[in-house]
Amino acid sequence: MTADDGVWLYSITTDSIGDAQLAGVTGVAGEPVRAVTSSGLVAVVGTVSLGEFGQEPLQRKLEDLDWLAATARAHDAVVAAVLRNGPTVPLRLATLYLDDDRVRLLLTERQEEFGATLRRVTGRSEWGVKGYGDAKLLSQDVKEEPSSTGATGKGTAYLLRRRAELSAQQDVERKAAGHAGEIHAALLDQAVDGVRRQVTDPVLTGRRAWMIFNGTYLVDNDRVDGFTALVTALDAERPGITLELTGPWPPYSFAGIDG
Amino acid sequence: MSEMVPADDTRRIALVDLLDRVLGGGVVITGEITLSLADVDMVRISLRTLIASVSALVPDPAEQDSADG
């Protein structure tokens, strides 16, 4: 390492993982990754040039989607490689230290927190569930044609129909929200923890589909089959809703230690 | 950006999922020269702009019909 080098942090894991397990794994700069050990913990890091990955160049490059995508994939690939060997606390993208000694200091200072988080995610993985709504199918469910029985006149019938049209959209949205709540509750039941995230802007997904639900769950590895079966069942029993499952992810959403 | 090849839907969704996680999740450690993206919101806004501009380069076929017609 030279003065122009920095240390990029990928993840923190137990000291049962060492350089042997990391052989052949490369990071965001194509650099080999390695283990920095202290206090029974390992930080998986790579040496990168600060000329390329220092604060200023980073700020600029983050604006480049191609670069960001490649970097995010490389970062995630290292985290995933570590995860295959044991519990893993992923670091947020672009966490850099000046040298290994400072990384060791971090491990020592945060030993307890990291240890607790590692125990929490051991034997578990993160799964994402998204729900897309079909407004037409959902509204078919909702719309009860006002029956023609009864002594309503033509004008009343018109007004009723008009009002039904106006409230149809609200009904569909209410119905979708109801489904989303039920789906989340059912999934939470099979998971250790779960959070609902903001639904993704269709601009970002490039899909025309209407996303009504976006959840992420921490699931015991030995209950994953039950969890995926539940997603399939929920998907099948709700004709107006299509569920999409992604995972297993490293526990990005459940490793939160701030500060 | 103009040479950006459009990803298919699946890949783009996967990328958005991934970016959401690596930019919005994971352990945040401040200090040192960590960027740590404390300003995640700002990054997301520029991401939106970027991806939106990608989408604009790759018009939806259905939309293109109405735009041309």
Side-chain angles (χ1 to χ4, degrees):
Chain A
M1 276 187 58
T2 72
D4 291 337
D5 288 337
V7 180
W8 180 290
L9 268 70
Y10 295 93
S11 71
I12 288 165
T13 180
T14 63
D15 64 1
S16 59
I17 295 174
D19 287 334
Q21 284 80 20
L22 300 171
V25 181
T26 54
V28 293
E31 87 287 2
V33 302
R34 58 201 165 80
V36 172
T37 309
S38 181
S39 308
L41 296 170
V42 160
V44 175
V45 306
T47 302
V48 298
S49 149
L50 290 181
E52 195 179 351
F53 291 93
Q55 179 127 15
E56 264 198 28
L58 259 181
Q59 290 280 17
R60 239 179 307 115
K61 285 182 169 175
L62 284 168
E63 304 284 321
D64 174 351
L65 183 62
D66 288 348
W67 183 90
L68 181 61
T71 305
R73 288 195 198 286
H75 181 84
D76 180 63
V78 175
V79 175
V82 178
L83 184 66
R84 283 195 287 277
N85 288 285
T88 297
V89 176
L91 272 293
R92 184 166 291 183
L93 190 79
T95 302
L96 282 138
Y97 270 69
L98 288 172
D99 55 46
D100 287 5
D101 282 345
R102 293 169 204 240
V103 175
R104 284 189 199 98
L105 194 63
L106 166 78
L107 294 180
T108 308
E109 281 176 348
R110 304 287 196 92
Q111 183 185 13
E112 222 166 281
E113 278 170 271
F114 288 138
T117 310
L118 281 168
R119 283 191 293 280
R120 175 170 154 75
V121 300
T122 299
R124 296 167 173 166
S125 46
E126 179 173 332
W127 294 80
V129 180
K130 289 188 178 147
Y132 297 92
D134 182 324
K136 224 181 237 172
L137 279 176
L138 283 174
S139 68
Q140 276 172 6
D141 251 7
V142 172
K143 211 189 312 168
E144 289 291 324
E145 287 295 329
S147 65
S148 52
T149 59
T152 48
K154 268 189 175 176
T156 313
Y158 169 79
L159 286 173
L160 282 174
R161 197 170 67 242
R162 186 83 187 107
R163 194 166 63 186
E165 277 167 12
L166 288 173
S167 65
Q169 179 62 22
Q170 282 173 297
D171 286 343
V172 168
E173 278 167 16
R174 206 176 307 126
K175 180 125 193 181
H179 278 293
E182 288 167 21
I183 289 167
H184 181 61
L187 293 172
L188 262 186
D189 219 39
Q190 288 278 324
V192 179
D193 197 0
V195 287
R196 282 183 69 175
R197 301 158 151 260
Q198 257 190 322
V199 295
T200 313
D201 193 318
V203 161
L204 292 179
T205 58
R207 273 172 79 143
R208 315 247 107 217
W210 170 38
M211 192 189 290
I212 60 167
F213 176 71
N214 188 9
T216 187
Y217 301 88
L218 187 65
V219 181
D220 280 322
N221 287 343
D222 57 15
R223 291 182 75 181
V224 164
D225 286 350
F227 187 81
T228 52
L230 176 62
V231 172
T232 309
L234 289 169
D235 181 58
E237 74 194 26
R238 289 160 203 265
I241 313 266
T242 306
L243 292 182
E244 178 191 271
L245 177 72
T246 58
W249 294 89
Y252 287 109
S253 308
F254 301 98
I257 303 174
D258 284 342
Chain B
M1 284 305 300
S2 58
E3 285 166 17
M4 175 97 190
V5 178
D8 60 44
D9 279 0
T10 328
R11 282 183 49 210
R12 196 182 301 172
I13 289 167
L15 176 61
V16 170
D17 268 359
L18 176 62
L19 290 179
D20 224 21
R21 284 181 165 84
V22 300
L23 294 176
V27 181
V28 181
I29 295 163
T30 52
E32 281 278 332
I33 48 170
T34 62
L35 188 60
S36 287
L37 306 176
D39 44 353
V40 165
D41 285 342
M42 185 214 80
V43 174
R44 283 193 177 160
I45 288 165
S46 36
L47 262 184
R48 268 165 206 276
T49 321
L50 275 168
I51 302 182
S53 62
V54 174
S55 309
L57 294 172
V58 191
D60 185 88
E63 229 172 37
Q64 205 167 22
D65 285 350
S66 55
D68 291 348

